[in-house]
Amino acid sequence: MSITVNGIDELKKLEGSDLGTSEWIEVTQERINTFADATGDHQWIHVDPEKAAEGPFGAPIAHGYLTLSLFIPLFTELLDVEGVSTKVNYGLNKVRFPSPVKVGSKIRLVGKLASVEDVPGGVQITVDGTIEIEGAPKPAAVLQSLSRFYA
């Protein structure tokens, strides 16, 4: 369930808040192949199901950066900021991939609004995110994302 705020002042009031958990999404072989085509990363561990079945994970796995790229659609399920002119990704402070995402796995995001800081013309938010894998003891990714919202 998404939290909706109207404007920067309401966003500031959420600082330190848990943003909740997104819905699960499945990471399919088609999604992995499409990402491989978009990035040129066709390593067999991602795109060759037969060879990957014999590899270290027993199945094809998603690219780490594919998992990371899914942060944005998952995050938009958690927080919607209205009443601003522009929303931009500003970067990442840290990212780790503790566990691979096997094809067919489902992932979701758990987020916390760690900080809201003033920047010229708006604010920069820091979100602590954990991308969980359904049924797995370790997450797929742990990250700290930076976004800016301009009035």
Side-chain angles (χ1 to χ4, degrees):
M1 184 169 134
S2 180
I3 298 170
T4 300
V5 297
N6 189 1
I8 289 172
D9 289 337
E10 285 187 21
L11 181 59
K12 287 180 177 181
K13 292 177 185 176
L14 285 180
E15 184 173 22
S17 297
D18 288 329
L19 299 174
T21 304
S22 72
E23 296 294 323
W24 293 105
I25 61 168
E26 184 177 356
V27 179
T28 64
Q29 186 65 57
E30 180 182 8
R31 185 184 295 259
I32 293 169
N33 292 346
T34 300
F35 188 84
D37 290 342
T39 62
D41 182 354
H42 291 93
Q43 185 183 19
W44 63 269
I45 202 157
H46 305 302
V47 299
D48 186 337
E50 291 177 15
K51 189 172 182 182
E54 313 258 333
F57 304 108
I61 60 169
H63 306 73
Y65 287 115
L66 167 56
T67 302
L68 181 60
S69 74
L70 294 172
F71 171 81
I72 292 300
L74 294 169
F75 178 69
T76 60
E77 290 185 29
L78 302 184
L79 180 64
D80 182 22
V81 180
E82 297 177 344
V84 295
S85 67
T86 307
K87 307 170 187 181
V88 295
N89 296 321
Y90 191 70
L92 300 160
N93 283 338
K94 57 184 171 182
V95 178
R96 297 290 182 268
F97 302 110
S99 186
V101 178
K102 293 181 183 180
V103 68
S105 296
K106 292 183 180 180
I107 62 171
R108 69 179 180 185
L109 174 66
V110 178
K112 178 179 181 175
L113 183 56
S115 68
V116 181
E117 301 173 33
D118 289 323
V119 296
V123 293
Q124 176 174 294
I125 67 169
T126 302
V127 174
D128 292 333
T130 301
I131 299 177
E132 299 178 332
I133 306 167
E134 187 175 45
K138 291 183 182 179
V142 179
L143 60 114
Q144 195 171 63
S145 173
L146 306 174
S147 299
R148 288 193 171 181
F149 298 85
Y150 295 98

